[in-house]
């Protein structure tokens, strides 16, 4: 909200020497954030001049200029010769003259310069050149503005161009501050200065009369609230829309961030900024019968003031007459009844509309306006009568109209619920020992009615503060009025037994372990295509149900992901396209796994601002598909870059399996790999990850076709697992193994087994047979060729044995090894290779 200081001073005592920064500092103390200071970018000398003579001089380009002699006063050099291209003035007119040395908005410095054969010693200014609007067809003639000032008078002060505005950020719960009335009241709270309420008028003079009654026919109110609870109309006849808007009003509107659009529209905007009540003016002669406020019908359309034809929604609240819609209530008027240069009779509307209805309409049509910004935050329900009369008075004063007894009023009783404020509550919540007088004084200051009760007070908030709804908001007001600096800085004591859950701790351990192993976490959007879900979300590539978003960010990826791999493929492609070809990336996030035959989602959305019931929350939770926390990683390019004397080492399955072991160690489980197949992965280079026989994920090399489709130039290895499942299988506690100080005994063994026997199964048999002394077993060679029988292969394992209480002998290690070989021989016919 931009607040011109000259305007603010009309309603509150601001010290004459107060700088804009002083005003901002005062408003900050009552909770407003300062934004900026706005001034007219103009400096003098800019003075009143009188045209002594002018001579028209046709030019070779077809243009005629005026060579003028202008009296600017003896103190400014007397009569000066000035070239002017405008023709809307005559000798004797008083105009605004910018003399050499002046700077106009732009910035546009003024200097004496030779043009059209003359030295123009200054410039006669137009409204746009002065920053007073968009009018540029002619220069400013002061008599047209009703101004007759002596020659040589400072025109900057005369036209209000020396005013300055402060801008504050208004939070959504304090819509009353979108008005000079509200900001002046808050400045009074901050400084103790006297506040003069512009809405204080005798109610008898606010009665609108009769003859233009409005009907509200809301058959489908949103959340049971009728769209319009008040609708006040007043009629002003005989207005002259060609009259100029006074410079002081234009200057204030400009500083407040609004353009001057003609005296009639300027008046409605001025009153809105002054009182916070949006207004709309209709050309009375264009209205067809009475006004009806109703919801739109299916398929209905209307053209708004911006010239756009809009398809209406059945929730949209409309202002209608006999011809149909003439306005989107509280958002924007229609083009058929707008005030124009031919308007002579005006119907002024001031209404109170349902905030939710207005907010939805403005967002639905992407049509934010100054009016909707105020209505959706809540407008004082007692102000429409005042605003309508204020606008009518200004139209009489500035547009030459006559206020009639015509009009109408539809209003409802304004009821503000009482709030019980227990004694001691404010002190306990805020942490400051306020006295009872300070509490009641602060609430009375903001306009609340406070009465003593048995155990505290009964408080009725003011009508312009719909944000005060409970004892907590009242306590905040007490703290705000008496200064937030009184609140002590005390660190809260955290309750015991809180912190991360075991599941959260496990997720962090795994992510930290992968990062320490050299992987980079790259979160991605959880949206993809149905084809990607089918390909990566199932082993066979079969179609599985996916959740489609009603309003996707990207229309080409409207489905929630069933796998993290598509996101990693996009990230890898983006990095490779930018020259980063060696990648080791991972993501931990939710995947969405709807069950076949189950319908998810709901159209029954509970209203905002109201806590849903337990039944409603249960229904909403039931409408959400199962969400599992997965972890996936991708490797491509080289794991070791090429160096002098050493070739590059490409990333392969072994690095992905090492990553799986890192994950297993951080999670506190042991992961086994079993060869398998998946539609998206290379045949023969795919494995299923298992924990205690339960499938938890997969690892493998991307199928070349899939890799090409993802625009990846080389081999890519992926791993994906259900992280929550792994952590649940690990249990609640991960205990680090103790380190033995005794020497290990190492031995190797080469076993000949049938070629179709999986090396992992042989390794498991060796580990089972070797018993507790075996610390690790690792496959180091898989040989098939000369010296090995046809249809067989030789698997070499490196074994490490260690005891916790002694140094093992070679005989003990050999005995444990042979016990493992015996199990492998029993199960797979393994034999020690000579």
């Amino acid at each position: 909200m931009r607040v011109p200081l000259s305007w603010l001073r009309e309603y509150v005592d601001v010290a004459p020497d107060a700088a804009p920064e002083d005003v901002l500092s005062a408003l900050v103390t009552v909770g407003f954030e300062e934004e900026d200071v706005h001034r007219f970018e103009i400096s003098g000398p800019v003075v009143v001049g009188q045209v002594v003579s002018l001579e028209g001089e046709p030019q070779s380009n077809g243009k005629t200029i005026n060579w003028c002699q202008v009296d600017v006063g003896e103190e400014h050099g007397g009569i000066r010769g000035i070239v002017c291209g405008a023709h809307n003035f005559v000798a004797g007119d008083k105009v605004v003259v910018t003399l050499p040395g002046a700077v106009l908005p732009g910035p546009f410095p003024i200097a004496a310069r030779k043009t059209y054969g003359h030295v123009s010693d200054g410039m006669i200014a137009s409204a746009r050149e002065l920053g007073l609007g968009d009018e540029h067809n002619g220069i400013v003639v002061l008599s047209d503005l009703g101004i007759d000032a002596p020659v040589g008078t400072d025109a900057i002060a005369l036209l209000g161009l020396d005013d300055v505005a402060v801008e504050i950020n208004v939070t959504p719960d304090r819509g009353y501050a979108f008005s000079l009335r509200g900001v002046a009241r808050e400045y009074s709270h901050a400084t103790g200065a006297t506040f003069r309420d512009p809405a204080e008028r005798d109610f008898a003079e606010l009665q609108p009369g009769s003859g233009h009654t409005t009907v509200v026919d809301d058959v489908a109110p949103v959340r049971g609230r009728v769209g319009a609870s008040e609708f006040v109309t007043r009629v002003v006849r005989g207005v002259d829309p060609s009259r100029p808007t006074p410079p002081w009003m234009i200057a204030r509107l400009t500083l407040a961030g609004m353009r001057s659009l003609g005296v009639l529209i300027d008046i409605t905007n001025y009153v809105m900024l002054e009182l916070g009540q949006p207004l709309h003016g209709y050309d009375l002669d264009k209205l067809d019968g009475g006004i009806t406020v109703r919801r739109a019908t299916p398929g209905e359309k209307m053209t708004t003031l911006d010239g756009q034809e809009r398809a209406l929604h059945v929730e949209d609240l409309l202002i209608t007459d006999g011809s149909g819609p003439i306005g989107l209530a509280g958002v924007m008027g229609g083009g058929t009844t707008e005030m124009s240069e031919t308007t002579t009779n005006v119907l002024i509307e001031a209404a109170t509309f349902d905030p939710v209805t207005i907010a939805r309409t403005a967002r639905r049509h992407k049509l934010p306006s100054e009016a909707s910004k105020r209505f959706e935050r809540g407008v004082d329900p007692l102000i429409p009568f005042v605003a309508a009369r204020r606008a009518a008075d200004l139209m009489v004063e500035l547009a030459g109209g006559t206020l009639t007894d015509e009009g109408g009023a539809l209003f409802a009783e304004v009821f503000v619920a009482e709030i019980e404020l227990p004694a001691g509550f404010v002190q306990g919540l805020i942490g400051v020992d306020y006295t009872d007088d300070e509490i009641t004084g602060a609430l009375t200051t903001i306009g609340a009615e406070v009465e003593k009760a048995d155990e505290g007070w009964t408080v009725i908030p003011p009508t312009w503060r719909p944000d005060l709804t409970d004892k907590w908001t009242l306590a905040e007001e007490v703290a705000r009025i008496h200064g937030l600096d009184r609140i002590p800085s005390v660190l809260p004591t955290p309750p015991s037994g809180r912190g991360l859950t075991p599941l959260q701790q496990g997720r962090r351990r795994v992510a930290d372990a992968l990062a320490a192993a050299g992987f980079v976490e790259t979160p991605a959007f959880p949206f993809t295509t149905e084809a990607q879900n089918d390909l990566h979300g199932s082993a066979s590539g079969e179609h599985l149900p996916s959740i489609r978003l009603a309003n996707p960010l990207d229309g080409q990826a409207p489905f929630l992901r069933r796998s993290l791999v598509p996101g990693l493929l996009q990230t890898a492609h983006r990095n490779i396209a930018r020259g980063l070809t060696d990648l080791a990336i991972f993501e931990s996030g939710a995947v969405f796994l709807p069950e076949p035959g189950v319908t998810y989602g709901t159209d029954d959305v509970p209203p905002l601002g109201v806590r849903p019931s337990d039944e409603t929350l249960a229904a909403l939770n039931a409408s959400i598909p199962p969400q599992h926390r997965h972890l996936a990683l991708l490797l491509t390019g080289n794991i070791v870059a090429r160096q002098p004397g050493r070739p590059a080492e490409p990333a392969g399955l072994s690095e992905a399996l090492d990553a799986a072991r890192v994950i297993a160690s951080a999670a506190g489980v042991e992961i086994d790999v079993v060869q398998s197949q998946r539609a998206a992965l290379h045949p023969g280079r795919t494995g299923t990850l298992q924990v205690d026989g339960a499938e938890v994920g997969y690892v493998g090399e991307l199928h070349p076709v899939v890799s090409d489709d993802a625009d990846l130039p080389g081999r890519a290895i992926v791993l994906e697992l259900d992280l929550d499942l792994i952590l649940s299988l690990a249990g609640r506690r991960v205990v680090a193994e103790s380190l033995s100080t005794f020497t290990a005994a190492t031995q190797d063994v080469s076993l000949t087994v049938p070629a179709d026997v999986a090396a992992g199964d042989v390794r498991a048999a060796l580990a089972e047979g070797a018993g507790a002394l075996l610390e690790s077993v690792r496959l180091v060679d898989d040989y098939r060729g000369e010296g090995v029988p046809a249809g067989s292969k030789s698997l070499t394992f490196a074994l490490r044995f260690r005891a916790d209480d002694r140094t093992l002998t070679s005989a003990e290690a050999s005995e444990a090894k042979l016990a493992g070989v015996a199990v492998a021989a029993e199960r797979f016919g393994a034999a020690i290779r000579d």
Side-chain angles (χ1 to χ4, degrees):
M1 174 69 184
R2 296 184 180 185
V3 183
L5 294 191
S6 67
W7 203 352
L8 182 66
R9 286 187 169 97
E10 292 187 6
Y11 312 128
V12 66
D13 292 336
V14 180
D17 60 346
E21 292 73 17
D22 298 331
V23 176
L24 284 172
S25 296
L27 294 173
V28 166
T29 63
V30 287
F32 292 100
E33 181 181 349
E34 64 177 273
E35 292 287 341
D36 205 351
V37 176
H38 300 272
R39 296 179 172 87
F40 287 101
E41 299 175 357
I42 186 170
S43 61
V46 181
V47 301
V48 174
Q50 186 168 27
V51 181
V52 177
S53 66
L54 70 160
E55 298 178 11
E57 297 182 356
Q59 304 297 312
S60 59
N61 59 5
K63 182 179 180 181
T64 298
I65 61 97
N66 289 313
W67 171 239
C68 307
Q69 300 299 310
V70 184
D71 183 6
V72 295
E74 291 300 327
E75 66 273 26
H76 298 293
I79 296 177
R80 296 186 180 229
I82 298 176
V83 173
C84 183
H87 301 279
N88 65 318
F89 64 101
V90 296
D93 281 343
K94 290 184 177 180
V95 295
V96 178
V97 181
T98 58
L99 300 176
V103 179
L104 297 182
F108 180 49
I110 303 299
R113 63 190 183 95
K114 187 173 182 179
T115 179
Y116 294 107
H118 301 280
V119 175
S120 185
D121 199 13
M123 185 181 76
I124 305 175
S126 69
R128 189 169 74 179
E129 289 164 341
L130 294 170
L132 278 175
D134 295 332
E135 180 59 43
H136 196 56
N137 295 325
I139 54 95
V140 173
V141 179
L142 294 178
S143 60
D144 292 341
L145 302 178
I147 297 175
D148 184 13
V151 171
T153 301
D154 182 6
I156 292 179
L158 183 68
L159 298 176
L161 300 177
D162 58 346
D163 201 359
V164 61
V166 296
E167 183 176 2
I168 57 174
N169 179 32
V170 178
T171 53
D173 61 329
R174 302 174 72 180
Y176 66 93
F178 277 119
S179 68
L180 268 295
R181 180 194 185 207
V183 176
R185 181 183 283 109
E186 289 298 332
Y187 185 81
S188 173
H189 298 340
T191 63
T194 302
F195 169 66
R196 296 173 291 277
D197 191 349
E200 283 189 1
R201 299 188 64 165
D202 184 0
F203 192 72
E205 68 178 1
L206 303 179
Q207 297 305 307
S210 61
H212 289 278
T213 304
T214 300
V215 175
V216 176
D217 183 21
D218 189 358
V219 296
V222 177
R223 301 184 189 171
R225 297 183 60 176
V226 176
S229 56
E230 290 184 311
F231 203 98
V232 181
T233 58
R234 301 209 70 135
V235 174
V236 180
R237 293 188 178 272
V239 298
D240 180 4
S242 65
R243 286 198 179 188
T245 303
W248 58 265
M249 181 177 284
I250 295 178
R252 288 180 174 180
L253 289 173
T254 302
L255 283 175
M258 305 189 76
R259 294 186 299 121
S260 175
L261 299 172
V263 65
L264 299 180
I265 297 176
D266 288 350
I267 287 171
T268 58
N269 287 335
Y270 186 85
V271 175
M272 177 184 67
L273 292 172
E274 181 179 68
L275 300 176
Q277 169 67 55
L279 299 170
H280 188 71
Y282 301 91
D283 188 324
L284 181 60
D285 299 323
K286 295 179 182 178
L287 285 174
D288 183 4
I291 290 179
T292 299
V293 183
R294 61 170 174 82
R295 302 283 173 176
T297 58
E300 198 166 15
K301 297 181 179 181
M302 72 164 292
T303 301
T304 47
L305 284 174
D306 57 1
Q308 298 293 318
E309 184 180 65
R310 301 185 182 276
L312 303 176
H313 188 275
V314 292
E315 265 192 10
D316 290 336
L317 191 68
L318 303 180
I319 311 298
T320 68
D321 64 0
S323 65
I326 58 174
L328 269 176
V331 179
M332 184 174 285
T336 58
T337 57
E338 67 175 316
M339 296 183 294
S340 65
E341 64 276 1
T342 62
T343 299
T344 57
N345 302 310
V346 176
L347 179 74
I348 301 170
E349 165 214 309
T352 300
F353 296 117
D354 173 42
V356 174
T357 293
I358 303 307
R360 288 187 177 182
T361 296
R363 286 158 177 74
R364 184 181 300 116
H365 294 283
K366 296 179 175 62
L367 194 60
S369 66
E370 292 292 330
S372 66
K373 181 167 65 176
R374 288 164 172 80
F375 277 126
E376 65 188 32
R377 287 165 173 79
V379 172
D380 185 356
L382 299 183
I383 209 71
F385 288 87
V386 179
R389 178 58 189 264
R390 171 67 167 150
D393 290 343
L394 287 174
M395 287 187 181
V396 171
E397 176 186 351
L398 304 179
T402 301
L403 179 60
T404 71
D405 292 333
E406 301 173 78
L410 169 73
F411 57 92
E413 181 181 357
V414 177
F415 174 76
V416 181
E418 295 180 346
I419 301 174
E420 298 296 331
L421 182 62
F425 175 78
V426 175
Q427 296 91 330
L429 181 67
I430 305 300
V432 177
D433 291 330
Y434 298 111
T435 65
D436 289 352
D437 288 342
E438 285 181 315
I439 294 173
T440 57
L443 297 178
T444 303
T445 296
I446 65 172
E449 298 178 16
V450 183
E451 291 187 4
K452 183 66 177 175
D454 293 339
E455 298 181 356
W457 300 273
T458 299
V459 182
I460 300 178
T463 55
W464 58 84
R465 294 296 303 272
D467 58 307
L468 302 181
T469 56
D470 49 42
K471 58 185 179 182
W472 289 275
T473 52
L474 293 179
E476 290 174 359
E477 285 299 295
V478 174
R480 186 174 69 89
I481 294 300
H482 287 298
L484 301 178
D485 56 325
R486 288 184 59 180
I487 301 176
S489 299
V490 179
L491 290 176
T493 301
S496 60
R498 302 289 178 89
L500 298 178
T501 65
L503 196 60
Q504 291 170 329
Q505 293 174 352
R507 293 170 181 171
R508 289 200 177 185
R509 282 199 311 272
V510 170
D512 290 345
L514 279 178
F519 287 81
V520 177
E521 188 170 8
T522 57
F525 285 120
F527 313 120
T528 186
T529 65
E530 191 171 34
Q532 289 290 309
N533 268 344
D534 292 344
L535 178 62
H536 297 284
S538 65
S540 62
E542 62 180 314
H543 174 68
L544 293 174
S546 297
I547 297 296
R548 184 185 183 96
L549 297 175
N551 55 343
L553 293 176
D554 183 356
Q556 296 182 343
F559 292 90
L560 291 174
R561 64 190 179 189
R562 294 185 62 97
S563 166
L564 301 182
V565 171
L568 291 176
L569 294 179
Q570 290 182 357
T571 301
H573 169 67
R574 190 178 303 112
N575 279 271
I576 290 172
R578 287 159 175 76
L580 302 175
T581 57
D582 301 332
L583 300 175
I585 57 178
F586 78 98
E587 179 182 4
S588 174
V591 297
F592 306 86
L593 307 176
E595 299 176 0
V598 179
T599 301
Y600 297 96
T602 177
D603 294 329
D604 186 15
V605 180
L608 298 176
V610 179
R611 189 186 189 283
S613 65
D614 293 341
E615 293 77 11
T616 301
L617 289 174
L620 289 174
N621 289 330
S623 69
I624 300 174
Q627 301 179 37
H628 294 208
R629 187 84 174 193
H630 277 203
L631 185 142
L633 59 85
L634 180 146
L635 291 150
T636 188
N638 295 323
I639 198 69
V640 176
R642 186 178 65 179
Q643 303 172 45
R646 181 177 180 180
E649 297 180 18
L653 276 172
S654 59
E655 284 72 31
L657 292 174
D658 286 342
R661 296 184 186 99
V662 168
I663 296 170
S665 176
V669 297
E670 290 188 7
I671 291 182
D672 297 320
V673 184
V674 178
Q675 191 170 31
S676 61
Q677 290 189 355
R678 289 185 71 89
L681 303 184
H682 196 296
R685 301 176 186 174
T686 303
T688 296
L689 302 176
Q690 295 180 346
V691 174
D692 295 333
E695 182 176 338
V696 296
Y698 63 89
V699 62
E701 180 183 329
L702 276 183
H703 195 287
V705 173
V706 177
S707 185
D708 288 343
D709 289 342
D711 292 327
L712 302 184
R715 298 170 60 190
I717 314 300
V718 295
L719 176 150
E720 183 169 16
L721 46 78
D722 189 330
L723 183 57
D724 284 347
L725 176 58
I726 288 178
L727 294 174
S728 67
L729 294 173
R732 296 179 57 87
R733 180 176 299 177
V734 176
V735 179
E737 294 182 1
S738 59
L739 297 177
S740 175
T741 59
F742 293 96
T743 305
T746 60
Q747 294 196 14
D748 291 345
V749 62
S750 295
L751 299 177
T752 302
V753 296
D756 59 351
V757 174
D761 293 338
V762 178
R763 175 185 176 279
L766 280 173
E768 180 181 340
L773 294 179
L774 181 65
E775 187 176 75
S776 73
V777 55
R778 180 166 55 91
L779 177 69
V780 296
D781 185 54
D782 182 339
Y783 174 74
R784 311 178 195 204
E786 185 177 352
V788 177
S792 298
K793 60 184 177 181
S794 173
L795 301 176
T796 301
F797 295 91
L799 299 93
R800 184 170 66 240
F801 300 92
R802 194 192 308 265
D804 294 334
D805 56 351
R806 67 190 187 281
T807 299
L808 292 177
T809 64
S810 297
E812 289 177 309
S814 296
E815 182 181 354
K817 177 185 72 174
L818 293 176
V821 171
V823 174
E826 179 182 354
R827 292 183 181 177
F828 309 112
I832 297 179
R833 181 184 173 199
D834 296 333

